Amino acid sequence: MTTTPSSPREPLSKVYEAPAVEERLYRWWEESGFFRAKVNPDRKPFTIIMPPPNVTGQLHLGHAMTAAIEDALTRYHRMKGFEALWLPGTDHAGIATQMVVERELAKEGSSRHDIGREAFIKRVWEWVGTYGGIIEDQLRRLGASCDWSRKTFTLDEGPSLAVRTTFKRLYDKGLIYRGERITNWCVTCRTALSDLEVDHAEEPGALYKICYAFEDGPLPDGRTGLVVATTRPETLFGDTAVAVHPDDPRYAGLVGKRVLLPVTGRSIPVIADEAVALDFGTGALKITPGHDPNDFETGERHHLPIVNILNPDGTLNEQAGPFAGQERLAARVALVARLEADGLLEGVTEHPHSVGHCQRSGDIVEPIVSAQWFVAVSPLAERALAAVRDGRTRIVPERFEKVYANWMENIRDWCISRQLWWGHRIPVWYCADCDHVTVSIEDPAGCEGCGSAYITQDEDVLDTWFSSGLWPHSTLGWPAQTADLDYFYPSTVMETGYDILFFWVARMILMTTYMIGEVPFQTVYLHGLVRTRDGRKMSKSDPTTAIDPLESIADYGADALRLALILGTGPGQDLRLYPEKLEACRRFANKIWNAGRYILMTIPPGTPITPPQEVRSELAQWLLHGLDQTVRNVQGSLSAYRLSEVIDALRGFFWGEFCDWYLEMDKKPERSPEDNQVLAYAYTTLLKVLHPYVPFVTE
RNA sequence: GGGCGAAUAGCUCAGCGGUUAGAGCGCCUGCUUUACACGCAGGAAGUCACAGGUUCGAAUCCUGUUUCGCCCACCA
């Protein structure tokens, strides 16, 4: 439909050679500035801020699906006369990127602690220099029509300023605080994690019944101690009480007595607490406030001390007596053997239970008490909840609005500090000379309290998702009041996978409704996951089923891949992808190509592509009527975000009616100018409506 | 323990109140028909998971059941 830079005289191949076409076309598009968007009061804006992939990441099918959908929406609106901005960017991906570089260091026999913070961060930047930007070129190969002149990185100056400004304002309002709380700790990554970064899985385990001897000797009835039940025996070194239910007849009169921990012999009290279940285990519950979230709360109710038994690397500390230095899981085994030898192990029963794992390293997460920074999200949640409830932000498919509301209503404070080096460093300074904590957007010269120059910045960085939460406005210049922000914000659609509804979408709504007082986007479109033909999650480690989008582009063409990622799925629905599907889509691209080839060979050059004034042929009338109907259907389906339906309708009409009927009937020796014009008009119209989905082959 | 999704042709999915239930792939039968064999013409193939109910009419709405999958939750 547009004049391509190549010579139209060169013979067209019988088979559509996607790779030969794609690179040339993309370069032309980009160099011509077709994807640039600017503030334009004469047009209505259409904005999509791209979910930023990891800066050093590789394109996977999830990205490809995101790109296919967002590009289709963007190109459609651009064609409809909107000022369409699709703003790309990348994420520093704190924990993920840091771990990759740490693994590299490990290969060299080094570690981040060996080389120090400054050298390590330099090393990560080098890594970003080498691998950053790869994903951008991969998105280009898909045909993504984003405005590269606006690409943003979460660690750029703008977003960094947005991070510090947000931190400062929330802190000043008392909505960011530092506290000693029980949090999730990954001993592999050696950092705290938010609740969302912990994946729970049901696993086989055991319930160990362990006897804690009474301090002042056996009871008159002969009982020598209290038997507690636990799945994590090694945590007993951190116990500071044993709790029983106040109404439990088995333990009547024992509250207030003291028992001795096995091995170390530390004395702890027996307390009464209603939260203890009468029908679980032995009815006596060991209380470990330092290493169990429930026990932490019980401990607060009873003002129990907190004993930490773990070193940051997951080995037991001196609290474990002879077990000090042992890795926690090894210590469990050794301790059980010791308890058995000491005659304190009263039984072991199988007990499958849910175990939390670090999303990144897969290691078992340990609850520990430490000083961390938190966002008090409840006050923000009210606005975020209202935004969706009153329809200022709509979620597609709608059922996720309930999921969203349920999460918001039960939201808990968000741990945002990470003991990592790669990320936005927390803008907080501690003073050596007074207790004042200086929180500042700019690096301060001294303590804001006493003026002392002896201040040190908090060592930690922020959760990656903190900066992601500001993405819709930080990419447009906020906190500066820019024309871009005024014009393009709030964005029209936020399109992403349902798997990051809480991680990202909810956080964006939380942060922006509070900071800006306006929703970040009008519509959230959530796509599903890409799966194998038999419904399994596609993983790179399983090459028999994994499909690499880049290989697919090479083998089938970007258009075919894009079609395959949209066809046969809808919002919130998982998609099964397999080679035959890609083949089928490639055939459609080939069909479009060959229909065009036929028309170019048939009609004289210069045939107008406008609709003919008068259509006499009944066949042509039938075609144009169907065409009109199809275009209408496409627009209807699109406005309801039913992209698969669009392709179905287009393929059905293009192939089944236009090609199989009209083109076949049209083959005749004598052609009228009207015949030619109908052909030219119908084909170019079809190319236009197809273009958002298959940009290369329709160009 | 709560919540959600899926169940329609061999496979992947449309259809979501109205005549004989559709598509793509696969399968079968013909076709080197002057765009395309990544094609064309034709064909076989479905008690729409099950049981009730609402309705003149149900794959489609309601209730329950079963099977798969997912999410959330502090199950010592």
Side-chain angles (χ1 to χ4, degrees), chain A residues 307-322:
Chain A
V307 174
N308 175 41
I309 64 162
L310 284 175
N311 295 312
D313 64 357
T315 55
L316 299 189
N317 66 18
E318 70 286 352
Q319 289 292 336

Side-chain angles (χ1 to χ4, degrees), chain A residues 532 536-548 551 579:
Chain A
T532 63
R536 292 201 316 274
K537 233 178 153 171
M538 249 185 225
S539 79
K540 273 177 266 173
S541 53
D542 181 0
T544 57
T545 56
I547 289 175
D548 176 9
E551 280 174 29

Side-chain angles (χ1 to χ4, degrees), chain A residues 183-197:
Chain A
T183 50
N184 312 291
W185 184 265
C186 175
V187 302
T188 298
C189 306
R190 293 201 205 174
T191 179
L193 303 170
S194 69
D195 295 340
L196 283 181
E197 289 163 291

Side-chain angles (χ1 to χ4, degrees), chain A residues 374-647:
Chain A
F374 295 87
V375 178
V377 270
S378 300
L380 315 190
E382 286 169 32
R383 297 188 192 197
L385 214 40
V388 171
R389 228 169 236 159
D390 62 28
R392 276 173 297 148
T393 291
R394 191 167 68 98
I395 303 181
V396 179
E398 204 180 307
R399 64 187 149 90
F400 280 102
E401 291 189 359
K402 218 160 96 182
V403 180
Y404 168 87
N406 186 51
W407 187 76
M408 277 294 172
E409 282 160 5
N410 299 295
I411 199 160
R412 295 168 55 171
D413 286 0
W414 172 19
C415 177
I416 51 170
S417 46
R418 296 289 177 277
Q419 287 64 54
L420 305 170
W421 290 345
W422 176 242
H424 297 276
R425 192 150 171 189
I426 292 179
V428 168
W429 286 261
Y430 304 102
C431 180
D433 298 319
C434 75
D435 289 340
H436 187 81
V437 172
T438 303
V439 177
S440 174
I441 295 170
E442 302 298 328
D443 286 9
C447 174
E448 277 176 358
C450 67
S452 165
Y454 298 99
I455 54 170
T456 48
Q457 188 171 4
D458 195 295
E459 294 290 321
D460 294 348
V461 299
L462 288 164
D463 183 357
T464 296
W465 297 102
F466 190 92
S467 59
S468 312
L470 313 176
W471 197 237
H473 53 283
S474 69
T475 48
L476 292 171
W478 189 91
Q481 273 308 321
T482 61
D484 275 352
L485 199 61
D486 196 48
Y487 182 71
F488 289 112
Y489 185 92
S491 63
T492 319
V493 185
M494 170 48 64
E495 194 280 339
T496 191
Y498 65 71
D499 53 328
I500 53 174
L501 175 62
F502 304 142
F503 275 109
W504 193 39
V505 178
R507 259 93 172 251
M508 285 188 283
I509 302 177
L510 274 173
M511 302 284 248
T512 49
T513 49
Y514 190 83
M515 294 302 291
I516 315 266
E518 204 181 339
V519 295
F521 24 73
Q522 293 158 12
T523 299
V524 176
Y525 177 102
L526 297 172
H527 65 243
L529 269 41
V530 183
R531 296 181 175 279
T532 63
R533 178 199 253 112
D534 50 355
R536 292 201 316 274
K537 233 178 153 171
M538 249 185 225
S539 79
K540 273 177 266 173
S541 53
D542 181 0
T544 57
T545 56
I547 289 175
D548 176 9
L550 295 160
E551 280 174 29
S552 297
I553 292 172
D555 294 345
Y556 304 100
D559 290 322
L561 175 62
R562 293 164 56 121
L563 283 174
L565 287 170
I566 291 180
L567 200 55
T569 182
Q573 204 175 34
D574 293 353
L575 167 92
R576 300 183 187 206
L577 189 67
Y578 41 92
E580 293 91 321
K581 186 169 183 182
L582 287 162
E583 278 165 27
C585 290
R586 184 231 259 144
R587 273 178 227 170
F588 182 38
N590 190 244
K591 191 73 181 175
I592 299 169
W593 173 265
N594 273 295
R597 217 160 59 89
Y598 168 75
I599 290 163
L600 284 177
M601 290 192 286
T602 307
I603 65 174
T607 301
I609 57 168
T610 48
Q613 299 284 344
E614 194 189 348
V615 181
R616 276 162 305 213
S617 140
E618 268 184 47
L619 185 64
Q621 285 172 8
W622 165 82
L623 177 78
L624 296 179
H625 176 78
L627 178 63
D628 189 58
Q629 203 64 42
T630 303
V631 172
R632 258 183 244 278
N633 289 347
V634 163
Q635 305 210 32
S637 300
L638 245 168
S639 58
Y641 293 97
R642 293 199 292 261
L643 303 201
S644 177
E645 212 173 274
V646 171
I647 294 174

Side-chain angles (χ1 to χ4, degrees), chain A residues 98-146:
Chain A
Q98 169 153 343
M99 278 189 65
V100 171
V101 177
E102 285 199 65
R103 236 175 275 138
E104 284 302 302
L105 282 175
K107 277 188 209 156
E108 299 163 18
S110 178
S111 78
R112 68 168 158 128
H113 300 284
D114 290 340
I115 66 174
R117 185 169 192 144
E118 210 175 308
F120 179 76
I121 290 175
K122 201 169 151 242
R123 186 70 192 257
V124 183
W125 276 109
E126 280 167 20
W127 185 265
V128 169
T130 310
Y131 296 99
I134 288 181
I135 192 145
E136 290 170 19
D137 285 327
Q138 293 174 334
L139 285 166
R140 284 183 173 90
R141 294 185 60 187
L142 262 178
S145 70
C146 36

Side-chain angles (χ1 to χ4, degrees), chain A residues 239-272:
Chain A
D239 288 2
T240 51
V242 172
V244 297
H245 192 98
D247 303 330
D248 193 333
R250 291 171 291 181
Y251 305 114
L254 296 184
V255 174
K257 289 181 82 72
R258 299 189 73 87
V259 293
L260 300 174
L261 287 179
V263 183
T264 60
R266 182 157 57 79
S267 163
I268 58 173
V270 178
I271 62 172

